[in-house]
C-alpha cells in the first residue's frame, strides 16, 4: 500500500531538502504486508514539490 499526499515542509525537512520552511512537498508512505496483514516494511519519504516527478503504472 502506498499513500501520497501534499504536505508543507517543517524546519527539519526544509533544512534537509535545502528549501524554505512551508514549501510544498510530496509525502509518500509505503507499507508492505504479509498474507495475514502483518506489516513487515514501512517507509516514509518526503520529496521537494518543485523537483518531484512521478510515473504511475497500474496493472489490474
Amino acid at each position: 500500500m502506498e499513500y501520497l499526499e501534499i504536505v508543507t515542509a517543517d524546519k527539519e525537512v526544509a533544512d534537509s531538502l535545502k528549501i524554505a520552511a512551508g514549501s510544498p512537498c510530496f509525502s509518500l508512505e509505503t507499507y508492505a504486508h504479509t498474507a495475514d496483514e502483518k506489516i513487515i516494511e514501512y517507509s516514509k519519504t518526503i520529496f521537494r514539490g518543485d523537483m518531484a516527478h512521478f510515473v504511475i503504472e497500474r496493472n489490474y
Side-chain angles (χ1 to χ4, degrees):
M1 286 291 245
E2 293 183 319
Y3 299 89
L4 180 66
E5 67 179 315
I6 297 173
V7 297
T8 55
D10 62 18
K11 180 170 177 13
E12 181 180 2
V13 169
D15 289 347
S16 294
L17 296 178
K18 297 181 179 24
I19 57 176
S23 295
C25 296
F26 288 95
S27 171
L28 178 65
E29 288 188 48
T30 304
Y31 298 85
H33 300 265
T34 61
D36 61 350
E37 297 299 318
K38 291 180 184 170
I39 296 175
I40 58 170
E41 183 179 338
Y42 168 79
S43 69
K44 182 174 182 177
T45 307
I46 306 286
F47 299 94
R48 288 176 55 149
D50 64 338
M51 298 186 81
H53 175 83
F54 298 95
V55 176
I56 299 169
E57 181 178 325
R58 295 177 187 236
N59 297 302
Y60 295 97

